[in-house]
Amino acid sequence: MRKRTADVLIELGVPANLKGFHYICDAMEIYAQDEFYITSKKVALYQKIAGKHNTSWTGVERCIRSAFEKAVTYGNLDSLNKYMTSAQKPTNGNLLACLYLKLKDWPETEMSPRAGTRKAQYA
């Protein structure tokens, strides 16, 4: 899940050197282990990530928000429309959930979504 998430974030235009990039990858792994976090308060997710990185949950939230803002401002608009919601002011929680739901259906053996080719059943 981490590699697929990283591939998609790079395609979206999220710089890989941002903390938020890595926090989003962590969030996707946590969602894959326990989907409870998708519908729970996001603070619980942020606290779990913060504990892993020895930081505050508010810092995690801010870094994720900043990473998504970079993608929206400078990223690939076609990819944004493919992976993210089209809501006017989407929340971190909504963006994370949309990204996870798109990624979870791709088998590990599939080519990277960045490669541009997936089997027809997933198109």
Side-chain angles (χ1 to χ4, degrees), residues 4-21:
R4 287 182 289 169
T5 303
D7 285 346
V8 168
L9 291 175
I10 290 168
E11 180 183 348
L12 291 173
V14 177
N17 65 331
L18 294 180
K19 288 180 184 178
F21 180 98

Side-chain angles (χ1 to χ4, degrees), residues 5-120:
T5 303
D7 285 346
V8 168
L9 291 175
I10 290 168
E11 180 183 348
L12 291 173
V14 177
N17 65 331
L18 294 180
K19 288 180 184 178
F21 180 98
H22 300 284
Y23 295 164
I24 293 168
C25 291
D26 289 342
M28 295 302 107
E29 287 181 329
I30 292 168
Y31 282 170
Q33 293 168 1
D34 187 357
E35 290 189 0
F36 158 79
Y37 285 97
I38 293 174
T39 58
S40 72
K41 296 264 185 199
K42 289 300 162 255
V43 173
L45 174 69
Y46 300 150
Q47 287 173 335
K48 187 165 181 129
I49 295 168
K52 181 178 177 180
H53 296 278
N54 197 25
T55 189
S56 68
W57 71 266
T58 56
V60 170
E61 187 275 334
R62 188 172 44 254
C63 288
I64 289 173
R65 183 174 3 102
S66 175
F68 281 134
E69 285 174 358
K70 292 275 189 209
V72 169
T73 306
Y74 303 109
N76 180 335
L77 293 179
D78 291 334
S79 294
L80 284 168
N81 291 329
K82 184 165 72 172
Y83 297 110
M84 301 293 178
T85 180
S86 60
Q88 280 296 90
K89 289 193 129 195
T91 63
N92 276 1
N94 191 13
L95 292 171
L96 289 169
C98 287
L99 181 59
Y100 173 72
L101 293 172
K102 295 279 185 164
L103 289 175
K104 82 172 190 167
D105 291 332
W106 291 335
E108 291 289 337
T109 58
E110 289 288 318
M111 292 182 72
S112 160
R114 194 172 78 203
T117 57
R118 293 183 289 159
K119 291 183 181 175

